[in-house]
Amino acid sequence: MIERKNMARASPLLLVTLVLGFCFATYNLVTMVIHNRSISKWIVDDSNGGIFFDPVIEMPENVRKPKNTKMPFHVALTATDAPYSKWQCRIMYYWYKKHKDLPGSEMGGFTRILHSGSPDNLMDEIPTVIVDPLPAGLDRGYIVLNRPWAFVQWLEKTTIEEEYVLMAEPDHVFIRPLPNLASGGFPAAFPFFYIKPDQNEKLLRKFYPEEMGPVTNIDPIGNSPVIIKKDLLEKIAPTWMNVSLKMKDDPETDKAFGWVLEMYAYAVASALHGVQHILRKDFMLQPPWDLETGKRFIIHYTYGCDYNMKGELTYGKIGEWRFDKRSYLRGPPPRNLSLPPPGVPESVETLVKMVNEATANIPNWDAE
């Protein structure tokens, strides 16, 4: 057995050597991350008050933004003139306005990019820029293919004051003021558990050749939510559009990726331009799978929330109580939706309460 007193007599020279060696190794590792970003991805989860990194490397100081420096971003979402899209946009815009000027917010202006090609009845309510849809038949019924084309047009025809853009969607609700999560040339994005580049290498190599590097260079993200520099988005957007169309034209890829095809296309387009994202798990939550709002910034209500009256999830089966945006394809949900039964997660209850507050305060809610 080694006694403690002997351990205490370690050579000072040895200790100094070890410390210097550790510092040198850490410096090299951080440098490798900066210059060869395929080695790692920063994953930040501040939703429960903690920040975690994968691997255990903090974001390099030279890409952190200085404290007390505001970097406003422009909120931009693509939309159609369908009733289903319009009521979601109205709720989203209500909560944007409510949080925009609160402490901690770096939200700037707001634009609804309407890719229906003509005005609708929300032009006076929500700041809107009209762009053209894809030529008839090109989207093949996959309306989301219009999203990259809409951003290409918007970026070409619009001048905004902000240096950054948040790409958002109609079914996003701001829970609290959103700061700029990006850092210089490093955009911020939410990592989706179902976007798995490493498990789809064969397909992705059709669009991301081997000479570009490993498929792990492709982030597990979609285009939204993403906060990105406008000039960087201007470079990525045309590639995003072209990759989306090529993926849709490839039957194998189209079948495999389905409704998330355009998300993969954005991730591939970013990697083709050498852009990787800071992955922020606290950017967003998705009920019913995320049970608490915590310190997250956005609720994404893409999934249906079905429960029995005991508060038990009945996903895949219509519940005794439910909230599903697809129940309101032809018009807006009524005001004062019933709250979920006891035992349902806080995230679901918060979502319904926020929908109710918005619909109670938006004028002429039922007029669509």
Side-chain angles (χ1 to χ4, degrees):
M1 180 187 298
I2 301 175
E3 296 180 0
R4 292 193 179 185
K5 62 180 180 181
N6 291 332
M7 293 178 65
R9 293 176 183 171
S11 165
L13 179 60
L14 176 60
L15 291 175
V16 170
T17 303
L18 288 172
V19 170
L20 289 175
F22 177 78
C23 292
F24 182 74
T26 302
Y27 171 80
N28 281 342
L29 187 54
V30 171
T31 303
M32 287 171 67
V33 171
I34 296 172
H35 293 288
N36 186 3
R37 286 165 291 159
S38 65
I39 294 173
S40 67
K41 301 179 187 300
W42 296 304
I43 301 180
V44 184
D45 186 352
D46 199 21
S47 58
N48 295 308
I51 301 179
F52 302 91
F53 300 88
D54 182 17
V56 187
I57 302 173
E58 290 196 6
M59 195 185 308
E61 290 293 333
N62 66 332
V63 298
R64 291 175 182 266
K65 70 178 180 181
K67 290 182 177 180
N68 303 320
T69 300
K70 293 205 76 171
M71 297 193 303
F73 55 85
H74 196 93
V75 180
L77 75 157
T78 56
T80 73
D81 60 1
Y84 177 65
S85 177
K86 289 195 287 188
W87 69 256
Q88 293 176 57
C89 288
R90 299 181 82 190
I91 291 173
M92 197 269 199
Y93 186 58
Y94 172 86
W95 286 104
Y96 156 81
K97 291 189 295 181
K98 187 132 185 180
H99 288 109
K100 178 183 181 294
D101 297 320
L102 295 179
S105 168
E106 292 182 86
M107 298 175 180
F110 186 103
T111 299
R112 180 182 63 134
I113 307 172
L114 182 63
H115 55 77
S116 300
S118 58
D120 65 5
N121 63 337
L122 296 183
M123 302 297 293
D124 294 332
E125 180 177 334
I126 304 175
T128 300
V129 170
I130 301 169
V131 297
D132 293 324
L134 288 169
L138 197 59
D139 65 16
R140 302 182 190 177
Y142 181 52
I143 193 70
V144 185
L145 274 186
N146 285 276
R147 184 175 293 157
W149 174 224
F151 270 107
V152 168
Q153 295 175 82
W154 176 67
L155 290 164
E156 286 180 348
K157 71 190 297 184
T158 306
T159 300
I160 59 173
E161 297 178 358
E162 301 85 356
E163 188 179 358
Y164 290 83
V165 174
L166 164 65
M167 291 188 283
E169 296 182 15
D171 59 354
H172 287 176
V173 173
F174 294 106
I175 311 170
R176 60 192 180 108
L178 179 61
N180 189 335
L181 304 176
S183 291
F186 294 87
F190 177 78
F192 290 90
F193 69 89
Y194 49 79
I195 302 297
K196 302 176 179 179
D198 59 332
Q199 295 183 21
N200 290 281
E201 181 167 3
K202 179 184 175 183
L203 291 175
L204 292 173
R205 283 304 184 195
K206 297 180 181 183
F207 316 98
Y208 189 76
E210 289 189 13
E211 56 265 30
M212 295 300 297
V215 292
T216 51
N217 285 351
I218 302 171
D219 290 326
I221 61 172
N223 84 290
S224 175
V226 166
I227 300 177
I228 185 171
K229 272 194 167 183
K230 179 176 177 284
D231 59 0
L232 201 53
L233 182 57
E234 288 173 337
K235 296 175 183 177
I236 293 172
T239 308
W240 172 27
M241 180 186 71
N242 290 330
V243 172
S244 296
L245 293 173
K246 287 180 180 178
M247 285 185 171
K248 191 66 179 174
D249 282 338
D250 183 77
E252 185 182 18
T253 305
D254 185 24
K255 181 179 179 181
F257 290 165
W259 65 275
V260 298
L261 180 147
E262 168 268 340
M263 298 172 69
Y264 270 104
Y266 174 79
V268 169
S270 298
L272 287 170
H273 285 275
V275 175
Q276 290 189 306
H277 300 67
I278 302 166
L279 305 181
R280 296 288 305 226
K281 291 183 178 181
D282 61 340
F283 209 152
M284 188 170 74
L285 71 147
Q286 303 184 98
W289 311 117
D290 295 308
L291 306 182
E292 297 180 354
T293 54
K295 293 186 177 181
R296 295 181 175 103
F297 297 99
I298 294 171
I299 293 180
H300 182 210
Y301 56 97
T302 189
Y303 296 104
C305 300
D306 288 276
Y307 293 87
N308 60 29
M309 299 313 291
K310 297 178 181 179
E312 298 168 335
L313 182 65
T314 62
Y315 192 77
K317 177 182 177 182
I318 294 178
E320 297 173 87
W321 180 93
R322 77 178 328 221
F323 175 76
D324 187 336
K325 66 178 184 177
R326 295 163 192 82
S327 300
Y328 308 104
L329 294 174
R330 298 182 180 181
R335 286 174 164 154
N336 197 27
L337 293 168
S338 64
L339 294 180
V344 167
E346 175 267 337
S347 62
V348 176
E349 183 176 355
T350 296
L351 168 61
V352 177
K353 286 181 176 179
M354 295 185 78
V355 169
N356 281 345
E357 178 180 332
T359 61
N361 289 282
I362 294 173
N364 304 313
W365 175 250
D366 299 317
E368 290 189 69

